[in-house]
C-alpha cells in the first residue's frame, strides 16, 4: 500500500451493475454512487433484463432522488447493420437524463456526438486501453473518462494517472473474460453468437475433455477422475486491496455483473461501500475487517483472484481442476415493514424458507444479524410452517429491528 498523506483522500465513485429496474434500485439503496445499465440496443448483454426507455426514465428519477447517476452501456463492436438508429437512440438517452454513455466503437461515438453533443461519453473497457498514450489520445478527443482494460496492472494505473489528467475507471470485482478485453470469437465459432455484439455463449466456461486425434472419440485421454477442463478465469476481487486504488486517485471503481442476482448486487455493493467509506474517512487507522472478506464470499459464484493487478496471472488464477467449495446462499425475503411494538417484520418471500431455518438479515451500512425462524404468519395472520409460494407476503418475529429493503438470506 502506498504511503498515506495528511491530505484528505478523494472518495471514488462506486459504480454498480443494474440488469433491470429492480436491480438498479437495490444497487443505489445499498450504496452505489452510480449504476450502469443496458438499453434494448447497442449493448453487450443481450440476455440481461435491459431497459426500455420508460424503465430508464423511472431509473433516472429514482437515482436523482438519492443523488446517484445512471450510465448506459452502448459498447458493442458494431457492424454496418448495427449502426441504424444510433443517432435517435443517443438523442433519446440525453432527453431522458442519462448522465453518460459507455462506448467502444468510434462510429457510435460519432453518432452520439452528432445527435446529442452534450451527452457525456466514457470509453468502454472493450476499447482495450492499456497505456497512457492511448488515454492521452482520448483526452485530446474531448473524452472526460476512460474505462481501463482489465489487463492493466496497479503499476500501469499509477503511470497513467501521473501522465494524463483524466478520469479513470477500473474494475474491482466480477467476472473476467479469458479473451483480451472481452474481444472473443469463440462464441461465434461454436454457436454463431457474436460476443462482441451482445451474444456471448460463455463457451470458455463449458467443460472440456482431451481426445487423441484419429482415435475413437468416445474415449478421452484424461486420467480417471480428473476434473474436466475449462478455459476460464477466476473472478476478480480487489476487496483486500481497495486502498491501493484509492491512494492512486482512481475516480470510479466498477463492479461487473449486469446479469447477476439481486443478492449479488446488494451484497457486493454493501461491502465495497463500507470499505471505501472506512478507508477514506480515516486512512491511517484503517484495518481490513475479516467480516468484509467473508461477506464477499457469500456472493461469490467462482473462486477469486486479483488477476493482472500485481503480477501476470498463472494457472492458479484459472478455474482448473476440482473447484473450491464456496458458500451458497439464497435471497429468501425482502423486508417491507417492521413493527417496533410487536417485533414483527413484514417480508416478501423470494425463495422458500420454513420454521427452524437459520437465516441472516442484512442491510445498508453493513447491518447484519442471524437468527432461527420460530414462527411464520401468512397475510391473513394464520400460522404456517413454510413460506413456499413465490412473492407471498408473510410476517416473522425478528430478534433485532429491521428496515425497509433489508434482505433476508438463507444458506443452501
Amino acid at each position: 500500500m502506498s504511503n498515506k498523506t495528511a491530505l484528505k483522500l478523494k472518495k471514488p465513485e462506486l459504480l454498480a451493475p443494474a440488469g433491470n429496474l429492480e436491480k438498479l434500485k437495490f444497487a443505489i439503496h445499498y450504496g452505489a454512487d452510480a449504476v450502469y445499465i443496458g438499453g434494448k440496443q447497442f449493448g453487450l448483454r443481450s440476455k440481461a433484463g435491459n431497459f426500455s426507455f420508460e424503465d430508464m426514465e423511472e431509473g433516472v428519477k429514482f437515482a436523482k432522488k438519492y443523488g446517484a447517476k445512471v450510465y448506459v452501456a452502448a459498447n458493442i463492436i458494431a457492424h454496418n447493420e448495427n449502426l441504424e438508429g444510433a443517432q435517435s437512440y443517443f438523442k433519446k438517452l440525453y432527453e431522458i437524463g442519462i448522465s453518460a454513455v459507455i462506448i467502444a466503437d468510434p462510429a457510435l461515438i460519432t453518432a452520439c456526438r452528432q445527435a446529442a453533443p452534450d451527452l457525456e461519453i466514457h470509453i468502454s473497457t472493450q476499447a482495450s486501453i492499456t497505456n497512457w498514450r492511448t488515454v492521452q489520445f482520448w483526452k485530446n478527443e474531448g473524452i472526460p473518462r476512460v474505462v481501463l482494460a482489465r489487463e492493466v496492472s496497479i503499476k500501469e494505473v499509477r503511470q497513467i494517472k501521473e501522465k494524463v489528467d483524466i478520469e479513470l475507471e477500473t474494475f474491482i470485482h466480477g467476472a473476467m473474460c479469458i479473451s483480451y478485453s472481452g474481444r472473443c470469437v469463440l462464441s461465434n465459432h461454436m454457436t454463431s453468437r457474436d460476443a462482441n455484439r451482445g451474444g456471448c455463449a460463455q463457451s470458455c466456461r463449458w467443460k472440456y475433455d482431451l481426445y487423441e486425434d484419429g482415435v475413437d472419440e468416445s474415449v478421452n485421454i484424461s486420467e480417471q477422475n480428473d476434473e474436466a477442463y475449462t478455459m476460464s478465469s477466476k473472478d476478480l476481487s480487489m476487496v483486500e486491496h481497495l486502498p491501493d486504488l484509492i491512494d492512486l486517485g482512481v475516480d470510479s471503481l466498477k463492479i461487473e455483473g449486469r446479469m447477476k442476482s439481486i443478492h449479488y448486487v446488494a451484497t457486493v455493493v454493501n461491502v465495497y461501500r463500507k470499505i471505501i467509506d472506512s478507508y477514506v474517512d480515516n486512512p491511517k487507522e484503517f484495518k481490513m475487517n475479516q467480516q468484509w472478506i467473508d461477506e464477499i464470499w457469500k456472493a461469490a459464484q467462482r473462486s477469486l483472484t486479483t488477476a493482472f493487478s500485481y503480477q501476470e496471472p498463472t494457472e492458479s488464477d484459472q478455474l482448473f481442476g476440482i473447484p473450491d467449495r464456496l458458500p451458497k446462499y439464497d435471497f429468501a425475503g425482502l423486508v417491507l415493514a417492521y413493527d417496533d411494538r410487536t417485533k414483527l417484520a413484514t417480508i416478501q418471500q423470494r425463495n422458500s424458507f420454513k420454521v427452524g431455518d437459520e437465516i441472516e438479515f442484512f442491510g445498508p451500512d453493513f447491518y447484519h444479524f442471524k437468527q432461527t425462524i420460530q414462527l411464520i404468519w401468512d397475510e391473513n395472520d394464520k400460522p404456517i410452517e413454510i413460506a413456499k409460494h413465490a412473492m407471498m407476503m408473510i410476517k416473522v418475529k425478528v430478534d433485532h429491528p429491521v428496515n425497509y429493503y433489508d434482505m433476508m438470506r438463507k444458506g443452501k
Side-chain angles (χ1 to χ4, degrees), residues 45-60:
R45 291 293 181 267
S46 62
K47 299 298 183 182
N50 292 325
F51 283 65
S52 65
F53 290 135
E54 292 76 18
D55 284 344
M56 288 184 189
E57 289 174 348
E58 185 175 344
V60 167

Side-chain angles (χ1 to χ4, degrees), residues 102-323:
I102 307 167
I103 307 179
D105 196 309
L108 292 176
I109 293 172
T110 300
C112 182
R113 283 180 159 172
Q114 290 173 344
D118 293 326
L119 180 55
E120 188 170 301
I121 296 172
H122 299 167
I123 303 301
S124 170
T125 189
Q126 298 299 120
S128 307
I129 298 174
T130 57
N131 65 82
W132 73 266
R133 292 186 184 275
T134 299
V135 175
Q136 184 66 57
F137 168 84
W138 286 115
K139 177 178 171 61
N140 293 343
E141 288 293 310
I143 297 297
R145 179 189 292 189
V146 299
V147 188
L148 295 177
R150 286 176 172 88
E151 295 81 14
V152 173
S153 69
I154 292 289
K155 179 181 177 181
E156 290 169 322
V157 174
R158 179 181 295 108
Q159 292 170 335
I160 292 169
K161 198 67 180 172
E162 290 172 351
K163 293 281 189 179
V164 189
D165 182 17
I166 192 173
E167 288 188 7
L168 296 182
E169 181 176 308
T170 62
F171 279 91
I172 57 169
H173 199 91
M176 295 285 290
C177 183
I178 198 65
S179 292
Y180 197 85
S181 292
R183 291 175 176 251
C184 180
V185 294
L186 197 62
S187 177
N188 306 51
H189 176 71
M190 292 184 166
T191 67
S192 297
R193 286 168 51 179
D194 190 343
N196 294 301
R197 288 190 281 177
C200 181
Q202 297 199 351
S203 305
C204 64
R205 299 202 188 276
W206 299 354
K207 299 246 176 157
Y208 295 89
D209 238 320
L210 297 177
Y211 300 86
E212 186 176 349
D213 190 25
V215 177
D216 185 355
E217 292 187 1
S218 66
V219 181
N220 68 55
I221 59 175
S222 302
E223 293 290 333
Q224 188 175 12
N225 299 323
D226 269 0
E227 184 75 11
Y229 296 95
T230 70
M231 291 180 277
S232 58
S233 167
K234 295 179 180 179
D235 284 0
L236 174 67
S237 175
M238 292 294 287
V239 69
E240 297 183 61
H241 306 278
L242 211 59
D244 290 352
L245 292 168
I246 298 173
D247 286 347
L248 291 179
V250 172
D251 301 273
S252 182
L253 303 175
K254 187 172 191 174
I255 299 165
E256 181 275 339
R258 280 193 285 139
M259 296 180 70
K260 300 286 179 62
S261 69
I262 291 169
H263 175 254
Y264 170 93
V265 171
T267 300
V268 174
V269 168
N270 205 9
V271 172
Y272 281 107
R273 176 79 276 152
K274 190 67 174 178
I275 296 174
I276 292 169
D277 292 347
S278 298
Y279 182 68
V280 172
D281 289 348
N282 194 354
K284 290 185 177 181
E285 301 298 326
F286 175 83
K287 291 182 180 180
M288 182 57 60
N289 189 327
Q290 183 62 41
Q291 287 183 312
W292 302 337
I293 301 169
D294 294 343
E295 185 74 1
I296 280 292
W297 282 103
K298 293 177 183 179
Q301 295 183 328
R302 307 176 188 93
S303 298
L304 302 175
T305 174
T306 56
F308 292 84
S309 298
Y310 298 97
Q311 62 185 23
E312 289 294 314
T314 67
E315 66 276 7
S316 65
D317 299 292
Q318 300 298 114
L319 291 175
F320 183 82
I322 299 174

Side-chain angles (χ1 to χ4, degrees), residues 332-336 345-354 376-380 382-396 408:
L334 178 65
V335 176
L336 298 182
T346 301
I347 295 173
Q348 183 186 68
Q349 186 262 30
R350 294 300 182 99
N351 274 290
S352 177
F353 62 93
K354 64 184 184 300
I376 305 174
W377 293 269
D378 66 14
E379 59 186 0
N380 298 315
K382 177 183 176 182
I384 57 175
E385 288 294 313
I386 183 169
K388 62 181 179 180
H389 301 298
M391 307 296 279
M392 68 184 296
M393 304 297 292
I394 58 94
K395 291 181 180 178
V396 171
M408 187 178 85

